[in-house]
PDB file of all heavy atoms in Angstrom:
ATOM      1  N   GLY A 950     -41.250   5.041 -27.005  1.00 83.00           N
ATOM      2  CA  GLY A 950     -40.198   5.743 -26.408  1.00 83.00           C
ATOM      3  C   GLY A 950     -40.329   5.668 -24.842  1.00 83.00           C
ATOM      4  O   GLY A 950     -41.337   5.188 -24.344  1.00 83.00           O
ATOM      5  N   GLU A 955     -39.759   8.045 -16.597  1.00 92.00           N
ATOM      6  CA  GLU A 955     -39.148   6.853 -16.680  1.00 92.00           C
ATOM      7  C   GLU A 955     -37.602   6.943 -16.712  1.00 92.00           C
ATOM      8  O   GLU A 955     -36.905   6.208 -16.003  1.00 92.00           O
ATOM      9  CB  GLU A 955     -39.560   5.978 -17.992  1.00 92.00           C
ATOM     10  CG  GLU A 955     -41.092   5.497 -17.672  1.00 92.00           C
ATOM     11  CD  GLU A 955     -41.572   4.974 -19.108  1.00 92.00           C
ATOM     12  OE1 GLU A 955     -41.185   5.356 -20.188  1.00 92.00           O
ATOM     13  OE2 GLU A 955     -42.493   4.114 -18.866  1.00 92.00           O
ATOM     14  N   MET A 957     -35.816   9.441 -15.594  1.00 95.00           N
ATOM     15  CA  MET A 957     -35.471   9.954 -14.359  1.00 95.00           C
ATOM     16  C   MET A 957     -35.345   8.867 -13.290  1.00 95.00           C
ATOM     17  O   MET A 957     -34.409   8.855 -12.419  1.00 95.00           O
ATOM     18  CB  MET A 957     -36.222  11.192 -13.746  1.00 95.00           C
ATOM     19  CG  MET A 957     -36.160  12.448 -14.564  1.00 95.00           C
ATOM     20  SD  MET A 957     -37.242  13.674 -14.195  1.00 95.00           S
ATOM     21  CE  MET A 957     -36.956  13.979 -12.555  1.00 95.00           C
ATOM     22  N   VAL A 959     -34.701   5.637 -13.880  1.00 95.00           N
ATOM     23  CA  VAL A 959     -33.504   4.874 -14.198  1.00 95.00           C
ATOM     24  C   VAL A 959     -32.319   5.518 -13.763  1.00 95.00           C
ATOM     25  O   VAL A 959     -31.417   4.933 -13.100  1.00 95.00           O
ATOM     26  CB  VAL A 959     -33.580   4.518 -15.777  1.00 95.00           C
ATOM     27  CG1 VAL A 959     -32.163   3.978 -16.152  1.00 95.00           C
ATOM     28  CG2 VAL A 959     -34.640   3.673 -16.091  1.00 95.00           C
ATOM     29  N   SER A 967     -24.564   3.163  -7.637  1.00 91.00           N
ATOM     30  CA  SER A 967     -23.194   3.746  -7.679  1.00 91.00           C
ATOM     31  C   SER A 967     -22.749   4.007  -6.259  1.00 91.00           C
ATOM     32  O   SER A 967     -21.578   3.762  -5.937  1.00 91.00           O
ATOM     33  CB  SER A 967     -23.102   4.867  -8.568  1.00 91.00           C
ATOM     34  OG  SER A 967     -23.375   4.607  -9.957  1.00 91.00           O
ATOM     35  N   MET A 975     -13.414   0.863  -3.945  1.00 82.00           N
ATOM     36  CA  MET A 975     -12.312   1.656  -3.502  1.00 82.00           C
ATOM     37  C   MET A 975     -11.479   0.794  -2.280  1.00 82.00           C
ATOM     38  O   MET A 975     -10.338   0.673  -2.252  1.00 82.00           O
ATOM     39  CB  MET A 975     -12.700   2.943  -2.827  1.00 82.00           C
ATOM     40  CG  MET A 975     -13.325   3.939  -3.876  1.00 82.00           C
ATOM     41  SD  MET A 975     -12.242   4.227  -5.328  1.00 82.00           S
ATOM     42  CE  MET A 975     -10.980   5.237  -4.643  1.00 82.00           C
ATOM     43  N   LYS A 982      -3.364  -2.718  -3.093  1.00 87.00           N
ATOM     44  CA  LYS A 982      -2.105  -2.046  -2.825  1.00 87.00           C
ATOM     45  C   LYS A 982      -1.403  -2.554  -1.514  1.00 87.00           C
ATOM     46  O   LYS A 982      -0.279  -2.601  -1.599  1.00 87.00           O
ATOM     47  CB  LYS A 982      -2.395  -0.520  -2.629  1.00 87.00           C
ATOM     48  CG  LYS A 982      -2.846   0.201  -3.970  1.00 87.00           C
ATOM     49  CD  LYS A 982      -3.226   1.577  -3.724  1.00 87.00           C
ATOM     50  CE  LYS A 982      -3.766   2.243  -5.030  1.00 87.00           C
ATOM     51  NZ  LYS A 982      -4.098   3.592  -4.749  1.00 87.00           N
ATOM     52  N   ALA A 996      16.207 -10.288   2.066  1.00 97.00           N
ATOM     53  CA  ALA A 996      17.444  -9.673   1.761  1.00 97.00           C
ATOM     54  C   ALA A 996      18.263  -9.465   2.980  1.00 97.00           C
ATOM     55  O   ALA A 996      19.433  -9.589   2.972  1.00 97.00           O
ATOM     56  CB  ALA A 996      17.200  -8.359   0.938  1.00 97.00           C
ATOM     57  N   PHE A1023       6.167   0.898  -7.730  1.00 96.00           N
ATOM     58  CA  PHE A1023       5.565   0.523  -6.479  1.00 96.00           C
ATOM     59  C   PHE A1023       4.834   1.752  -5.840  1.00 96.00           C
ATOM     60  O   PHE A1023       5.087   2.859  -6.135  1.00 96.00           O
ATOM     61  CB  PHE A1023       6.577   0.023  -5.469  1.00 96.00           C
ATOM     62  CG  PHE A1023       7.713   0.830  -5.340  1.00 96.00           C
ATOM     63  CD1 PHE A1023       7.918   1.675  -4.270  1.00 96.00           C
ATOM     64  CD2 PHE A1023       8.863   0.776  -6.291  1.00 96.00           C
ATOM     65  CE1 PHE A1023       9.089   2.506  -4.173  1.00 96.00           C
ATOM     66  CE2 PHE A1023       9.953   1.620  -6.196  1.00 96.00           C
ATOM     67  CZ  PHE A1023      10.141   2.533  -5.035  1.00 96.00           C
ATOM     68  N   GLU A1048       6.912   8.774   7.860  1.00 95.00           N
ATOM     69  CA  GLU A1048       5.955   7.845   8.282  1.00 95.00           C
ATOM     70  C   GLU A1048       6.535   6.433   8.611  1.00 95.00           C
ATOM     71  O   GLU A1048       5.926   5.564   9.101  1.00 95.00           O
ATOM     72  CB  GLU A1048       4.858   7.560   7.091  1.00 95.00           C
ATOM     73  CG  GLU A1048       3.990   8.769   6.956  1.00 95.00           C
ATOM     74  CD  GLU A1048       3.091   9.046   8.018  1.00 95.00           C
ATOM     75  OE1 GLU A1048       2.817   8.334   8.867  1.00 95.00           O
ATOM     76  OE2 GLU A1048       2.561  10.285   8.026  1.00 95.00           O
ATOM     77  N   PRO A1056      22.287  -4.212  15.386  1.00 89.00           N
ATOM     78  CA  PRO A1056      23.130  -5.175  14.649  1.00 89.00           C
ATOM     79  C   PRO A1056      22.509  -6.670  14.670  1.00 89.00           C
ATOM     80  O   PRO A1056      22.675  -7.468  13.633  1.00 89.00           O
ATOM     81  CB  PRO A1056      24.381  -5.263  15.572  1.00 89.00           C
ATOM     82  CG  PRO A1056      24.506  -3.799  16.073  1.00 89.00           C
ATOM     83  CD  PRO A1056      22.973  -3.473  16.388  1.00 89.00           C
ATOM     84  N   GLY A1058      19.064  -7.261  14.942  1.00 95.00           N
ATOM     85  CA  GLY A1058      17.493  -7.448  14.822  1.00 95.00           C
ATOM     86  C   GLY A1058      16.990  -6.057  13.999  1.00 95.00           C
ATOM     87  O   GLY A1058      17.798  -5.055  13.926  1.00 95.00           O
ATOM     88  N   VAL A1072      -4.171   9.963   5.873  1.00 92.00           N
ATOM     89  CA  VAL A1072      -3.642   9.034   6.909  1.00 92.00           C
ATOM     90  C   VAL A1072      -2.948   7.869   6.221  1.00 92.00           C
ATOM     91  O   VAL A1072      -3.461   7.198   5.396  1.00 92.00           O
ATOM     92  CB  VAL A1072      -4.857   8.512   7.816  1.00 92.00           C
ATOM     93  CG1 VAL A1072      -4.296   7.572   8.816  1.00 92.00           C
ATOM     94  CG2 VAL A1072      -5.543   9.659   8.455  1.00 92.00           C
ATOM     95  N   ILE A1076       2.778  -0.640   7.846  1.00 97.00           N
ATOM     96  CA  ILE A1076       2.854  -1.977   8.054  1.00 97.00           C
ATOM     97  C   ILE A1076       4.338  -2.280   8.231  1.00 97.00           C
ATOM     98  O   ILE A1076       5.259  -1.696   7.628  1.00 97.00           O
ATOM     99  CB  ILE A1076       2.405  -2.900   6.750  1.00 97.00           C
ATOM    100  CG1 ILE A1076       1.041  -2.498   6.478  1.00 97.00           C
ATOM    101  CG2 ILE A1076       2.561  -4.297   7.037  1.00 97.00           C
ATOM    102  CD1 ILE A1076       0.553  -3.081   5.115  1.00 97.00           C
TER     103      ILE A1076
END
Side-chain angles (χ1 to χ4, degrees):
E955 291 170 331
M957 289 175 56
V959 168
S967 296
M975 296 306 286
K982 289 178 185 174
F1023 53 97
E1048 292 290 345
V1072 177
I1076 303 166

